[in-house]
């Protein structure tokens, strides 16, 4: 289904371009899955903002893996290797990497598609990230350096707020597509979740990655005991931090700064056109 899916994404470019030509918007916000959006926006003379629903941490790890290819020095799928150039010591195995880093016809298509996404990111006007500065300050700054002279903005989507609902407990490592990098940030860096033992990145739902007893142990760690209380306290503290970021903190000021920047860009274009 992957080739068909990628083909379907590309088929959207022409009708979407026609809609933009008709509506004449001042700015385009497009998900990372539409790399052609940067070129479309450029042709229409409007800025394209690249929306990324993951985290600064996940994108920094993937970027370093893509740039330096440390997995190629590992002798087996299970041998840990260090991901270079990051604020923390991050170790991965080949099995924990996205499948598009592996060799096959199918994965080559995905690898090419991800290359287009990365290029689209670097050439876009700016980035809207599902995060906020106080949550992962080291990786927010690291991502900015990666972007070099590109304009980077942060945005706190509702997604993180939903993660923190209730008691704020999160189990790391169990999902149909096993988003190991995202869950590593939740469990190991933020310490608001626990691992369930998954050691492989997979998008196959029927593949057994975690045993029943491992899930039971993780649930027990989350529900009772001193560790569970510490996790709850940290999660609630981050929830309050997220609320402040959107109401009066970094996300609020960054979004307002972005809007003002876009207004100024529009005014300058209007002046240039009138001349």
């Amino acid at each position: 289904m992957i080739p068909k899916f990628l083909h379907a994404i590309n088929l959207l470019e022409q009708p979407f371009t026609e809609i933009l030509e008709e509506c004449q918007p001042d700015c385009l916000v497009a998900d990372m899955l539409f790399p052609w959006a940067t070129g479309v926006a450029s042709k229409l003379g409007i800025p394209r903002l690249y929306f990324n629903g993951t985290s600064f941490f996940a994108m920094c790890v993937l970027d370093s893996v893509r740039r330096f290819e440390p997995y190629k020095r590992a002798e087996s799928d299970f041998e840990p290797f260090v991901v270079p150039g990051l604020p923390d010591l991050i170790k991965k195995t080949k099995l924990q990497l996205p499948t598009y880093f592996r060799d096959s016809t199918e994965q080559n298509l995905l690898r090419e598609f991800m290359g287009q996404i990365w290029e689209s990111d670097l050439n876009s006007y700016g980035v809207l990230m599902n995060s906020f500065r106080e949550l992962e300050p080291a990786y927010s700054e690291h991502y900015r350096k990666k972007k070099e002279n590109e304009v980077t903005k942060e945005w706190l989507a509702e997604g993180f707020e939903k993660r923190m609902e209730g008691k704020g407990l999160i189990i790391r490592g169990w999902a149909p597509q096993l988003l190991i990098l995202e869950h590593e940030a939740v469990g190991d860096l933020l310490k608001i979740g626990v691992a369930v033992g998954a050691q492989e990145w997979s998008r196959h739902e029927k593949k057994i990655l975690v045993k029943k007893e491992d899930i039971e142990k993780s649930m027990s760690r989350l529900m009772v005991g001193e560790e569970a209380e510490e996790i709850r306290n940290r999660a609630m503290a981050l929830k309050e931090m997220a609320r402040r970021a959107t109401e009066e903190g970094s996300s609020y000021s960054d979004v307002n700064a972005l809007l003002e920047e876009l207004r100024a860009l529009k005014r300058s274009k209007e002046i240039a056109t009138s001349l």
Side-chain angles (χ1 to χ4, degrees):
M1 293 296 293
I2 289 178
K4 294 180 180 179
F5 175 73
L6 298 181
H7 180 62
I9 287 178
N10 290 331
L11 288 177
L12 291 173
E13 179 176 357
Q14 183 57 38
F16 188 71
T17 301
E18 294 173 359
I19 292 176
L20 291 180
E21 290 173 341
E22 179 181 346
C23 297
Q24 292 293 309
D26 298 320
C27 176
L28 170 62
V29 178
D31 189 88
M32 60 181 292
L33 289 179
F34 305 101
W36 45 259
T38 298
V40 169
S42 178
K43 292 177 183 178
L44 296 175
I46 61 174
R48 183 264 172 118
L49 293 171
Y50 168 101
F51 175 71
N52 194 314
T54 58
S55 65
F56 285 113
F57 171 77
M59 294 308 298
C60 289
V61 172
L62 286 176
D63 181 73
S64 292
V65 170
R66 182 181 66 90
R67 287 173 183 261
F68 303 109
E69 300 181 329
Y71 57 93
K72 290 187 175 180
R73 295 188 288 273
E75 296 182 357
S76 71
D77 289 341
F78 305 97
E79 180 185 353
F81 58 84
V82 175
V83 181
L86 296 175
D88 297 291
L89 180 63
I90 303 297
K91 293 184 177 181
K92 310 302 299 179
T93 66
K94 286 184 179 180
L95 286 179
Q96 291 176 323
L97 295 179
T99 55
Y100 49 78
F101 284 106
R102 305 170 195 174
D103 292 329
S104 71
T105 301
E106 178 185 90
Q107 303 315 325
N108 287 341
L109 289 172
L110 278 176
R111 189 158 45 245
E112 180 182 351
F113 182 59
M114 289 306 299
Q116 295 172 2
I117 288 177
W118 275 310
E119 182 179 358
S120 175
D121 170 11
L122 292 174
N123 293 327
S124 65
Y125 182 81
V127 176
L128 298 176
M129 189 74 73
N130 183 22
S131 184
F132 59 99
R133 193 181 306 165
E134 296 87 344
L135 179 67
E136 40 181 350
Y139 291 93
S140 171
E141 181 62 26
H142 186 78
Y143 188 83
R144 280 178 164 82
K145 292 175 182 180
K146 180 186 83 72
K147 289 282 290 183
E148 298 178 342
N149 294 325
E150 297 293 329
V151 179
T152 304
K153 299 293 180 182
E154 298 145 22
W155 178 65
L156 175 65
E158 294 180 356
F160 185 80
E161 196 70 30
K162 291 180 179 178
R163 295 182 194 177
M164 296 300 180
E165 284 180 353
K167 294 183 177 179
L169 301 181
I170 300 174
I171 301 178
R172 172 173 81 88
W174 178 249
Q177 292 182 296
L178 191 58
L179 302 178
I180 287 181
L181 296 179
E182 193 75 6
H183 298 150
E184 183 174 21
V186 170
D188 297 339
L189 298 181
L190 299 178
K191 301 185 184 303
I192 52 174
V194 299
V196 294
Q199 297 298 321
E200 180 179 352
W201 181 300
S202 176
R203 56 186 176 80
H204 300 289
E205 295 184 28
K206 294 183 179 180
K207 192 169 186 178
I208 299 177
L209 299 171
V210 181
K211 296 180 180 180
K212 174 184 175 182
E213 51 268 29
D214 293 331
I215 297 177
E216 291 176 348
K217 290 178 182 178
S218 296
M219 289 298 297
S220 296
R221 289 176 60 189
L222 283 176
M223 299 304 295
V224 296
E226 185 176 339
E227 182 184 17
E229 184 66 23
E230 291 176 354
I231 290 174
R232 281 194 287 270
N233 290 338
R234 282 194 294 270
M236 295 304 292
L238 285 174
K239 177 181 179 179
E240 177 60 22
M241 190 184 298
R243 184 194 64 77
R244 291 197 303 268
T246 56
E247 293 182 359
E248 57 193 29
S250 63
S251 290
Y252 179 85
S253 60
D254 282 349
V255 168
N256 279 291
L258 172 61
L259 292 175
E260 184 55 40
E261 186 174 324
L262 293 174
R263 293 188 188 103
L265 181 65
K266 180 183 178 181
R267 288 194 294 269
S268 65
K269 288 183 177 180
E270 291 174 344
I271 293 173
T273 302
S274 64
L275 297 177

